[in-house]
Tab-separated table of all heavy atoms in Angstrom:
chain	number	residue	atom	x	y	z
K	205	PRO	N	11.861	-8.762	8.394
K	205	PRO	CA	13.166	-8.921	7.742
K	205	PRO	C	13.003	-9.702	6.442
K	205	PRO	O	12.027	-10.442	6.278
K	205	PRO	CB	13.984	-9.737	8.752
K	205	PRO	CG	13.191	-9.775	10.005
K	205	PRO	CD	11.772	-9.499	9.656
K	206	LEU	N	13.990	-9.540	5.560
K	206	LEU	CA	13.944	-10.186	4.249
K	206	LEU	C	13.772	-11.704	4.339
K	206	LEU	O	13.033	-12.299	3.558
K	206	LEU	CB	15.242	-9.893	3.483
K	206	LEU	CG	15.308	-8.622	2.674
K	206	LEU	CD1	14.552	-8.773	1.395
K	206	LEU	CD2	14.814	-7.404	3.430
K	207	GLU	N	14.458	-12.313	5.315
K	207	GLU	CA	14.410	-13.787	5.441
K	207	GLU	C	12.976	-14.251	5.669
K	207	GLU	O	12.520	-15.215	5.066
K	207	GLU	CB	15.255	-14.277	6.628
K	207	GLU	CG	16.749	-13.961	6.557
K	207	GLU	CD	17.047	-12.479	6.715
K	207	GLU	OE1	16.428	-11.835	7.573
K	207	GLU	OE2	17.888	-11.960	5.943
K	208	THR	N	12.270	-13.541	6.547
K	208	THR	CA	10.884	-13.915	6.858
K	208	THR	C	10.010	-13.753	5.617
K	208	THR	O	9.200	-14.629	5.296
K	208	THR	CB	10.330	-13.021	7.989
K	208	THR	OG1	11.300	-12.971	9.028
K	208	THR	CG2	9.009	-13.527	8.516
K	209	ALA	N	10.192	-12.635	4.915
K	209	ALA	CA	9.365	-12.378	3.730
K	209	ALA	C	9.610	-13.440	2.666
K	209	ALA	O	8.660	-13.988	2.098
K	209	ALA	CB	9.673	-10.992	3.183
K	210	SER	N	10.882	-13.775	2.416
K	210	SER	CA	11.119	-14.742	1.330
K	210	SER	C	10.690	-16.146	1.736
K	210	SER	O	10.209	-16.907	0.899
K	210	SER	CB	12.555	-14.693	0.801
K	210	SER	OG	13.457	-14.709	1.857
K	211	ALA	N	10.783	-16.468	3.040
K	211	ALA	CA	10.293	-17.783	3.480
K	211	ALA	C	8.778	-17.873	3.279
K	211	ALA	O	8.251	-18.912	2.872
K	211	ALA	CB	10.638	-17.997	4.957
K	212	ARG	N	8.069	-16.763	3.513
K	212	ARG	CA	6.608	-16.773	3.342
K	212	ARG	C	6.217	-16.878	1.870
K	212	ARG	O	5.170	-17.426	1.543
K	212	ARG	CB	5.991	-15.506	3.943
K	212	ARG	CG	5.959	-15.563	5.458
K	212	ARG	CD	5.325	-14.321	6.033
K	212	ARG	NE	5.374	-14.353	7.486
K	212	ARG	CZ	5.126	-13.307	8.266
K	212	ARG	NH1	4.820	-12.153	7.718
K	212	ARG	NH2	5.183	-13.414	9.572
K	213	LEU	N	7.068	-16.315	1.005
K	213	LEU	CA	6.734	-16.355	-0.429
K	213	LEU	C	7.109	-17.686	-1.066
K	213	LEU	O	6.495	-18.094	-2.051
K	213	LEU	CB	7.474	-15.240	-1.176
K	213	LEU	CG	6.945	-13.817	-1.000
K	213	LEU	CD1	7.826	-12.849	-1.782
K	213	LEU	CD2	5.496	-13.696	-1.457
K	214	ALA	N	8.099	-18.375	-0.477
K	214	ALA	CA	8.610	-19.611	-1.087
K	214	ALA	C	7.485	-20.630	-1.211
K	214	ALA	O	6.709	-20.837	-0.286
K	214	ALA	CB	9.741	-20.175	-0.240
K	215	GLY	N	7.392	-21.234	-2.383
K	215	GLY	CA	6.403	-22.288	-2.587
K	215	GLY	C	5.008	-21.770	-2.867
K	215	GLY	O	4.105	-22.539	-3.154
K	216	ALA	N	4.823	-20.437	-2.784
K	216	ALA	CA	3.517	-19.874	-3.172
K	216	ALA	C	3.410	-19.963	-4.699
K	216	ALA	O	4.292	-20.524	-5.343
K	216	ALA	CB	3.415	-18.437	-2.689
K	217	ARG	N	2.375	-19.356	-5.265
K	217	ARG	CA	2.207	-19.407	-6.731
K	217	ARG	C	3.441	-18.866	-7.459
K	217	ARG	O	4.324	-18.284	-6.846
K	217	ARG	CB	0.947	-18.636	-7.117
K	217	ARG	CG	1.074	-17.211	-6.687
K	217	ARG	CD	-0.192	-16.406	-6.812
K	217	ARG	NE	-0.068	-15.228	-5.968
K	217	ARG	CZ	0.777	-14.233	-6.165
K	217	ARG	NH1	1.583	-14.240	-7.211
K	217	ARG	NH2	0.857	-13.221	-5.338
K	218	GLU	N	3.439	-19.009	-8.762
K	218	GLU	CA	4.498	-18.486	-9.634
K	218	GLU	C	4.743	-16.997	-9.302
K	218	GLU	O	3.802	-16.212	-9.295
K	218	GLU	CB	3.992	-18.618	-11.076
K	218	GLU	CG	4.920	-18.144	-12.140
K	218	GLU	CD	5.899	-19.224	-12.583
K	218	GLU	OE1	5.911	-20.324	-11.984
K	218	GLU	OE2	6.648	-18.948	-13.504
K	219	PRO	N	6.002	-16.583	-8.989
K	219	PRO	CA	6.223	-15.175	-8.610
K	219	PRO	C	5.941	-14.211	-9.762
K	219	PRO	O	6.211	-14.531	-10.925
K	219	PRO	CB	7.701	-15.141	-8.218
K	219	PRO	CG	8.315	-16.364	-8.765
K	219	PRO	CD	7.231	-17.377	-8.971
K	220	ASP	N	5.367	-13.038	-9.446
K	220	ASP	CA	5.178	-12.016	-10.483
K	220	ASP	C	6.493	-11.246	-10.637
K	220	ASP	O	7.498	-11.560	-9.993
K	220	ASP	CB	3.964	-11.116	-10.174
K	220	ASP	CG	4.132	-10.301	-8.890
K	220	ASP	OD1	5.252	-9.825	-8.615
K	220	ASP	OD2	3.125	-10.140	-8.166
K	221	LYS	N	6.467	-10.200	-11.478
K	221	LYS	CA	7.683	-9.449	-11.814
K	221	LYS	C	8.377	-8.889	-10.567
K	221	LYS	O	9.594	-8.903	-10.472
K	221	LYS	CB	7.264	-8.300	-12.746
K	221	LYS	CG	8.360	-7.655	-13.526
K	221	LYS	CD	7.770	-6.580	-14.440
K	221	LYS	CE	7.515	-5.279	-13.698
K	221	LYS	NZ	6.923	-4.223	-14.545
K	222	PHE	N	7.581	-8.397	-9.608
K	222	PHE	CA	8.186	-7.807	-8.410
K	222	PHE	C	8.672	-8.891	-7.448
K	222	PHE	O	9.772	-8.808	-6.911
K	222	PHE	CB	7.197	-6.866	-7.712
K	222	PHE	CG	6.883	-5.647	-8.527
K	222	PHE	CD1	5.703	-5.562	-9.248
K	222	PHE	CD2	7.791	-4.606	-8.612
K	222	PHE	CE1	5.429	-4.449	-10.031
K	222	PHE	CE2	7.529	-3.488	-9.388
K	222	PHE	CZ	6.338	-3.417	-10.097
Side-chain angles (χ1 to χ4, degrees):
L206 273 283
E207 299 69 42
T208 313
S210 48
R212 285 181 183 167
L213 285 178
R217 60 189 161 67
E218 180 87 355
D220 64 38
K221 197 178 81 181
F222 293 101

